[in-house]
Amino acid sequence: MLDTETKRRIDTARDILVGKIPDPKSQVEQITIALIYKFMYDIDRESVELGGKEKFFSGEYKKYAWNKIFDVGMGGVEIVNLYGEAIQKMNQNPNIPPLFQDIFKNAYLPYRDPETLKIFLKVINEFQYDHSERLGDAFEYLLSVLGSQGDAGQFRTPRHIIDFMVEIISPRKHETILDPACGTAGFLISAYKYILKHNSSNYNPAEDKKSFEQQDVNLEELTINSTKYSGDKLLSDDKAQLVENIYGYDISPDMVRLSLVNMYLHQFNNPKIHEYDTLTSQDRWEERADVIMANPPFMSPKGGIRPHQRFTIKSKRSEVLFVDYIAEHLNPQGRSAVIVPEGIIFQAQNAHKNLRKMLVENGFLVGVISLPPGVFHPYSGVKTSILWIDKRLAKKTDKILFVNIENDGFHLGAQRRPIKENDLPNAYNLIQEYKETIETGKKFNTEKWENILLVEKEKILESEDYNLTGARYKPSPHINTKWQLVELREVAEIASGNSAPQGDKYFQSGIYPFYRTFDVGKVHISDTLNISKDYVNDLAIKEKKLRLFDKNTILFPKSGASTFLNHRAMLSKAGYVSSHLAAIIPDEKRVSPLFLFHLLCDIDAKTLTSEQAYPSLKLSAIKKIKIPLPPLLVQQEIVAEIESYQKIIDGAKQVVENYKPTLKIDSHWKKLKFVDVTLEIRNGVNVKQVDNKGKYKVTRIQTISYGTVDLGKTKWTNDEPPENYFMEEGDILLSHINSFEHLAKTAIFTNIQEKVVHGINLIRYRFNKKLIIPDYAILFMKSDEFINRAKVFAQKAVNQASIKISDLNNIEIPCPDLNIQKAIVAKMEEEEELVNSNKKLIEIYEEKTKSCISKVWGS
């Protein structure tokens, strides 16, 4: 595991540079150059201490030795000149190996500020090199800030995903291992560590903790733990051959330089990384490998790629060509794991279809492992899968394994904080079991986990597009219904809406609603739709030939974010509809519109499409949805029962949605300024926050949730704040800096036993309880009177607004007698109890509605 002190130094070095060098890749390059510079000096110093001579800094290059930079007699400008000159000339130093010369090739100092350079070099000077694994882990952590080279479609693969793929492929000591788009060499180093581990006498599979099994560790701090594995079972010839067998290509000289450093720090004295264009050059076309692992670039340059004519699949798409290359360049018994974008899995272009057909028909593909969208956050939300290729295993089975990973141990949003939910260990164990069943001929039990599926290759090859989406081949659940099953197209017309008119002239003075996916996405599935975001005019209807859809038309989203696909809406009045929505017009002689609406609300649209971040449905798939069709009289009875439930739900919703505690202020009550009724009004302390568990929890703006403190949204700190920055019972937090919409939101700190630090950007009110009861104060602070008054003081910026504490101090709060305050609080608690009862009522009757529909389906 990366030690805290080394991580701190790297973070500090980046923080120093960020003001002068905003680009993360340039920051990494500058830190890399400085680290290697210091590393060479440390080797020279060790040599001298052992009775030898300087190797790197000798002759005319002696003046550039690292310690010369710290000569107390040198001024700031002299240090800048010496260091800048040294890194520019170092690649010409005949005393350093070609690897180091490559690292310093084209190196330069991009800023000339002496103070910044002195502070930066002081931090680098704190690093002590012993050529240990820890240094390699530190460099991997440094590389984690790169994340993305988005213009080329390159996204650095998280370590736990690399580890997962390597464990599945299981490289061996005698095998050649290639990454044809190696980036920073993560796959190659992980494969090397895997082989060392499995050839160490202290390796115990039962106790070994893989990186994808670790919990409560930040993503960037994950390391593939081989520190304790020396590979002592390998003979010296084995070790020498092993480092010769591992090699990679990359088109970017910057990536080549970084991967060379990374491999050198992981015990590769002469790493085999070549600057090479895998897709257009033929110089290394004849090279083959036993194992290929890669996360190649997803995007193709504008106008595509101009590959040579030796590829099996004719395409100009980089993702297609890379998979074709990998399949072609595996030895006859070879195997591979490669990350691909979802286009490879389902897109209908000829190149994509031909590639999928080739992988299945030629006996290459063993499995498809679907990764969740968000694995590459915060750099990209692209949906990806892992193609598992094994030329030997694939010929032993007539099936393809589909595995669906929904959680990878980290939140799938931009922060990627650790979470408990993690499908990777379960998936790995079942994949290992599947490999064993192929070898032994035993039956594989797919029922052990619902996210795994076996599909016959013949079935995939029967489909016209050779689709590799697992959900497409899932057998429909058995519906034990006494009613006839019919396809939706038999009882309704299914049409698409119109493309939205472009231009203000079509919306000026518009009076006809134009419904979009957004409008359907806003409503609950049991709601009818009567308000749209946009209204079109007669000109739009005439020129764009818009179709009018009548009342009771059911809207079924065809595309957009996956969260919208299961929303449904029924038009309460006629309107026009976007082409992203399917319009379902029931044949009322055969089916009740409300009955059909509730049945369609129970359909999971994700089973009708491929697993993508932004999936899309075809009208043909919606038309083929099968539904049970009782007689109209029975349908009407079912609708009547649901409607009776819906009236209760709607009534309860009215209470919940419209309730707002009202504080009636008596004009005789005295008013005092906040500064006069509080013991303290204070902004928080700025402590270093961490996602994983620390010593104390820290409040932040996200902590405020519906008037109460939600400690589930806090972070942690290991800092020891001053005593008066700990929260106390009855403290009230107020958001004074954020978006204007969220400004002046409040929450009361109550019934929480643990120690919590009052963090920055939240104002804390601690009231004098002889004058104000905190529960009464929060009622006033949630009122429009207070919020509007507070917002008057906000200095509104483009995206943010803020309020000064001094302004808030002068807002007046009505201060009745304490007994009156207690009575007001008691009354409000009674009202809130009634509101909570209505929330419970909604839950109960929504469940009754679901139960009623389930009976129709026979479940």
Side-chain angles (χ1 to χ4, degrees), residues 658-709:
N658 293 304
Y659 171 73
K660 188 173 184 179
T662 305
L663 182 60
K664 291 186 177 180
I665 300 171
D666 191 313
S667 59
H668 295 97
W669 294 345
K670 62 182 176 182
K671 291 187 176 182
L672 296 174
K673 292 180 180 178
F674 269 80
V675 71
D676 297 324
V677 296
T678 50
L679 300 175
E680 176 185 86
I681 302 176
R682 178 192 295 273
N683 203 342
V685 63
N686 191 7
V687 292
K688 186 173 182 180
Q689 298 182 22
V690 295
D691 290 323
N692 52 306
K693 189 171 183 179
K695 196 171 182 182
Y696 305 114
K697 285 191 171 181
V698 185
T699 63
R700 55 192 189 132
I701 288 173
Q702 291 86 342
T703 306
I704 296 177
S705 178
Y706 303 106
T708 58
V709 173

Side-chain angles (χ1 to χ4, degrees), residues 505-520:
K505 66 179 181 178
Y506 297 119
F507 295 94
Q508 288 169 356
S509 305
I511 57 173
Y512 309 106
F514 187 87
Y515 298 107
R516 303 175 186 262
T517 309
F518 173 81
D519 299 309
V520 178

Side-chain angles (χ1 to χ4, degrees), residues 16-35:
I16 292 166
L17 292 178
V18 73
K20 301 293 180 183
I21 312 175
D23 176 41
K25 186 164 75 72
S26 298
Q27 295 165 16
V28 170
E29 288 175 351
Q30 289 301 311
I31 295 171
T32 300
I33 289 165
L35 287 173

Side-chain angles (χ1 to χ4, degrees), residues 134 608 797:
R134 188 172 69 177
L608 307 174

Side-chain angles (χ1 to χ4, degrees), residues 404-645:
N404 183 35
I405 307 295
E406 293 180 350
N407 289 288
D408 69 334
F410 297 89
H411 191 275
L412 294 169
Q415 298 303 315
R416 297 288 277 143
R417 64 179 183 276
I419 59 173
K420 291 180 181 178
E421 294 79 12
N422 186 1
D423 296 332
L424 292 174
N426 199 15
Y428 168 74
N429 291 331
L430 286 168
I431 288 169
Q432 295 302 102
E433 187 178 321
Y434 178 62
K435 285 198 279 189
E436 186 181 340
T437 60
I438 294 178
E439 300 284 12
T440 60
K442 294 179 182 177
K443 185 178 179 181
F444 180 62
N445 183 7
T446 57
E447 294 180 3
K448 285 186 176 181
W449 192 36
E450 63 180 10
N451 287 351
I452 208 161
L453 180 70
L454 268 180
V455 179
E456 291 81 5
K457 294 178 184 177
E458 187 178 329
K459 191 171 184 179
I460 296 169
L461 293 171
E462 281 175 0
S463 64
E464 59 185 27
D465 55 0
Y466 315 104
N467 196 297
L468 292 178
T469 304
R472 174 171 179 165
Y473 302 102
K474 239 177 188 174
S476 300
H478 178 64
I479 301 173
N480 182 25
T481 176
K482 58 185 177 181
W483 313 115
Q484 175 192 6
L485 285 175
V486 299
E487 289 189 351
L488 188 56
R489 59 185 167 183
E490 295 179 43
V491 295
E493 179 193 352
I494 295 93
S496 185
N498 298 99
S499 297
Q502 301 298 310
D504 292 341
K505 66 179 181 178
Y506 297 119
F507 295 94
Q508 288 169 356
S509 305
I511 57 173
Y512 309 106
F514 187 87
Y515 298 107
R516 303 175 186 262
T517 309
F518 173 81
D519 299 309
V520 178
K522 286 193 302 182
V523 301
H524 186 272
I525 58 173
S526 61
D527 290 338
T528 52
L529 193 60
N530 54 24
I531 298 175
S532 67
K533 180 184 174 185
D534 293 315
Y535 289 80
V536 292
N537 54 30
D538 289 312
L539 180 65
I541 295 166
K542 181 180 178 181
E543 289 192 1
K544 299 300 177 182
K545 299 179 181 178
L546 303 183
R547 175 177 174 177
L548 181 68
F549 290 94
D550 290 331
K551 174 184 176 181
N552 291 340
T553 296
I554 300 164
L555 302 184
F556 193 122
K558 294 190 301 176
S559 61
S562 58
T563 51
F564 283 174
L565 282 190
N566 282 330
H567 283 251
R568 309 284 179 266
M570 179 181 282
L571 294 184
S572 59
K573 60 182 180 182
Y576 298 90
V577 173
S578 161
S579 58
H580 293 286
L581 294 165
I584 300 170
I585 304 104
D587 177 357
E588 297 191 29
K589 292 178 182 178
R590 298 200 63 192
V591 65
S592 159
L594 276 171
F595 174 78
L596 181 58
F597 173 76
H598 286 292
L599 280 181
L600 293 177
C601 287
D602 209 45
I603 297 289
D604 184 358
K606 286 184 280 188
T607 62
L608 307 174
T609 185
S610 55
E611 298 159 5
Q612 310 165 56
Y614 293 92
S616 60
L617 289 172
K618 293 181 179 178
L619 281 185
S620 57
I622 298 173
K623 289 177 181 180
K624 292 178 182 178
I625 293 172
K626 288 189 175 182
I627 60 166
L629 191 68
L632 264 175
L633 185 61
V634 175
Q635 294 178 37
Q636 289 161 2
E637 289 173 355
I638 292 167
V639 168
E641 183 180 349
I642 292 174
E643 294 253 276
S644 68
Y645 299 153

